[in-house]
Amino acid sequence: MYIPHMVPYASPIYFIILMVALLPLIVSLLLRGKRIGWYQSLITVFFLYISFGGKDYRQGIALIVYVIFQSILVWGYHQYRKNKNQANIFYLAVFLSIVPLIFVKVTPFMDGQNSILGFLGISYLTFKSVQIIMEMRDGMIKEYRPLNYIKFLLFFPTISSGPIDRYRRFEKDLNEPPAPEKYIDLLGSGIHNIFVGFLYKFIIGYFFGQVLLPVVDRIAMQHGGISWGLVAYMYVYSMYLFFDFAGYSLFAVGTSKLMGYETPPNFNKPFLSWNIKEFWNRWHMTLSFWFRDYIYMRLMFTLIKKKTFKSRIVASNVGYFALFLIMGIWHGLTWYYIVYGIYHATLICLTDAWLRFKKKHKKQLPSNKFTHALAVFLTFNAVCLSFLIFSGFLDKLFFHNFLMR
């Protein structure tokens, strides 16, 4: 029987197959409060096959090689960590864990072609692996079960674009399926997530991305430079980016809940944020929290411990710029991703300065519904400008027009 290649959550056929495949798991959780372990493994292999097989079989091979490599690496570090805890070995393990991702990101920049090591979702799997190594070093993960680790990496509802779960939380759900009465709530919530995801991705996201975006793209390109068409593109692209990605995330979270896993949400009304720090607490939350916990906080601890800077404010600002530069470069080695990272780091540093000033002068500064609405409006526009940079459209607009002259 021929099984077509399908991108996760990209077509109605995928959802039909998904619902049919999940039905035995749903019935088992409703009636017995238990998962059918072998069956979950079977459908995992099946969905990985239709996502990474067929014409994308090279991605499937790369995924298999990657999982074997990471499993051996994490097992080796766990064996070492039982008796020793040298920093150099820890840094080496982290570096080796991200080497495949580095190759994937650098290869297109060097020779213009995608790396043979690349596959959809390699970034998110790398974040999971690095997380486990770091928590082993901290003593938060004391036992390593290779099979659970592989199940964590290859959890198919979230494998391509997140959300990024935490290993200890996932393992708890893996070992302790929800009781039937709790699962009923999860089931209802999961179905709701999926239906809202359809609204976001296939209706609103489609309207902004497939209907409006080509129109404003053409208008902006015709006018060239800064124009109302460019402003329209900024807002339309921002709406498309949110509804498309939030819709995908809702599918992933909803599917996870149908399987009895409480995968954390990725978005929480980000365009209602009243400053840029609050925005990053609401936008792509699992990614921003990962960067915060595993990069920013560790960098800050090192800078403060070694007294690299006399001022904690300076150390914090340096940490923000390092964090968002890494985040920008992670998206790709292009000028607009790097500028996107610098832009957000600058906004956060300015926000911190404003919050310190506001705290000192809170009696002199008004605080009411109007000022809150103004803060939301300014933050929304600042974020939309960052998404315009992120989109790469400015690169096409200015450099394309320059080359055409």
Side-chain angles (χ1 to χ4, degrees):
M1 182 179 67
Y2 171 72
I3 301 175
H5 166 78
M6 285 183 281
V7 176
Y9 312 119
S11 70
I13 296 176
Y14 183 90
F15 284 93
I16 293 172
I17 296 174
L18 180 66
M19 291 303 110
V20 172
L22 291 183
L23 192 58
L25 281 181
I26 293 171
V27 172
S28 179
L29 283 165
L30 280 173
L31 297 181
R32 303 189 302 148
K34 295 181 180 180
R35 297 190 191 90
I36 311 172
W38 65 267
Y39 183 75
Q40 180 173 315
S41 299
L42 179 65
I43 62 172
T44 295
V45 172
F46 173 77
F47 280 101
L48 291 178
Y49 175 75
I50 65 174
S51 298
F52 298 98
K55 64 183 179 66
D56 285 339
Y57 73 93
R58 289 184 180 86
Q59 287 197 36
I61 295 172
L63 174 64
I64 293 170
V65 172
Y66 176 90
V67 170
I68 293 172
F69 168 75
Q70 294 287 2
S71 299
I72 294 172
L73 175 64
V74 172
W75 175 83
Y77 183 74
H78 178 257
Q79 294 300 112
Y80 166 82
R81 182 63 183 87
K82 288 180 179 179
N83 301 310
K84 298 180 181 179
N85 189 21
Q86 290 185 11
N88 290 339
I89 300 298
F90 164 69
Y91 293 137
L92 177 62
V94 170
F95 174 73
L96 291 175
S97 184
I98 64 175
V99 161
L101 180 60
I102 293 173
F103 274 111
V104 168
K105 295 294 183 180
V106 170
T107 299
F109 180 76
M110 298 297 290
D111 61 14
Q113 296 182 352
N114 292 328
S115 170
I116 60 172
L117 298 176
F119 58 87
L120 183 66
I122 186 173
S123 292
Y124 297 95
L125 267 64
T126 301
F127 293 149
K128 288 181 176 181
S129 294
V130 171
Q131 168 207 145
I132 289 177
I133 292 172
M134 288 185 171
E135 292 193 351
M136 282 180 175
R137 206 242 173 155
D138 294 342
M140 299 169 72
I141 297 177
K142 298 185 182 299
E143 295 185 15
Y144 172 64
R145 299 177 178 87
L147 188 58
N148 286 0
Y149 169 76
I150 293 173
K151 289 179 179 178
F152 174 61
L153 279 189
L154 297 180
F155 188 59
F156 78 87
T158 64
I159 192 170
S160 58
S161 297
I164 307 168
D165 207 346
R166 301 296 173 94
Y167 177 74
R168 287 177 294 147
R169 198 220 62 77
F170 176 86
E171 190 176 43
K172 183 175 181 296
D173 280 359
L174 179 66
N175 295 331
E176 301 174 14
E181 56 272 15
K182 181 181 179 181
Y183 179 67
I184 290 175
D185 293 333
L186 275 182
L187 182 62
S189 178
I191 293 171
H192 178 264
N193 287 151
I194 291 173
F195 273 96
V196 175
F198 271 103
L199 172 65
Y200 276 22
K201 185 172 178 65
F202 294 121
I203 299 177
I204 303 177
Y206 177 86
F207 176 73
F208 279 109
Q210 304 301 318
V211 179
L212 288 184
L213 198 61
V215 175
V216 294
D217 182 308
R218 185 172 62 253
I219 294 172
M221 291 297 290
Q222 287 174 349
H223 285 83
I226 299 174
S227 66
W228 286 114
L230 180 61
V231 174
Y233 185 94
M234 177 179 77
Y235 290 119
V236 171
Y237 178 80
S238 298
M239 294 300 101
Y240 161 69
L241 183 65
F242 167 69
F243 284 107
D244 185 76
F245 195 14
Y248 165 85
S249 295
L250 284 167
F251 291 147
V253 171
T255 303
S256 300
K257 288 179 179 178
L258 296 188
M259 296 175 66
Y261 295 85
E262 296 186 70
T263 296
N266 236 359
F267 295 89
N268 180 23
K269 302 176 182 176
F271 291 141
L272 295 181
S273 305
W274 51 92
N275 63 49
I276 204 68
K277 295 186 76 172
E278 183 64 21
F279 170 79
W280 280 107
N281 286 329
R282 292 165 171 258
W283 175 273
H284 205 343
M285 294 185 292
T286 59
L287 176 69
S288 62
F289 294 163
W290 191 95
F291 273 94
R292 178 198 66 191
D293 295 344
Y294 298 105
I295 296 181
Y296 177 77
M297 295 303 295
R298 290 170 184 271
L299 177 60
M300 284 298 297
F301 176 79
T302 301
L303 292 176
I304 292 171
K305 182 181 179 180
K306 295 186 176 182
K307 298 181 180 179
T308 308
F309 302 101
K310 293 181 180 179
S311 169
R312 281 178 173 263
I313 294 173
V314 173
S316 178
N317 289 344
V318 169
Y320 284 134
F321 273 94
L323 171 67
F324 280 97
L325 271 175
I326 293 171
M327 188 182 289
I329 292 171
W330 164 67
H331 280 102
L333 290 171
T334 60
W335 71 264
Y336 44 87
Y337 288 140
I338 294 171
V339 170
Y340 169 80
I342 294 172
Y343 175 84
H344 269 284
T346 302
L347 287 183
I348 285 192
C349 292
L350 291 174
T351 298
D352 268 355
W354 165 249
L355 292 175
R356 290 192 299 270
F357 177 84
K358 187 177 179 181
K359 186 176 181 180
K360 290 181 180 178
H361 303 85
K362 58 183 178 181
K363 292 184 179 180
Q364 291 79 27
L365 295 172
S367 179
N368 50 49
K369 292 182 179 180
F370 174 78
T371 58
H372 179 80
L374 178 62
V376 171
F377 174 78
L378 293 174
T379 302
F380 171 73
N381 283 278
V383 166
C384 288
L385 178 57
S386 78
F387 288 154
L388 175 62
I389 298 169
F390 178 85
S391 71
F393 183 73
L394 295 177
D395 185 74
K396 181 175 80 168
L397 178 67
F398 293 115
F399 289 97
H400 173 81
N401 285 342
F402 176 77
L403 292 174
M404 291 295 290
R405 290 175 184 174

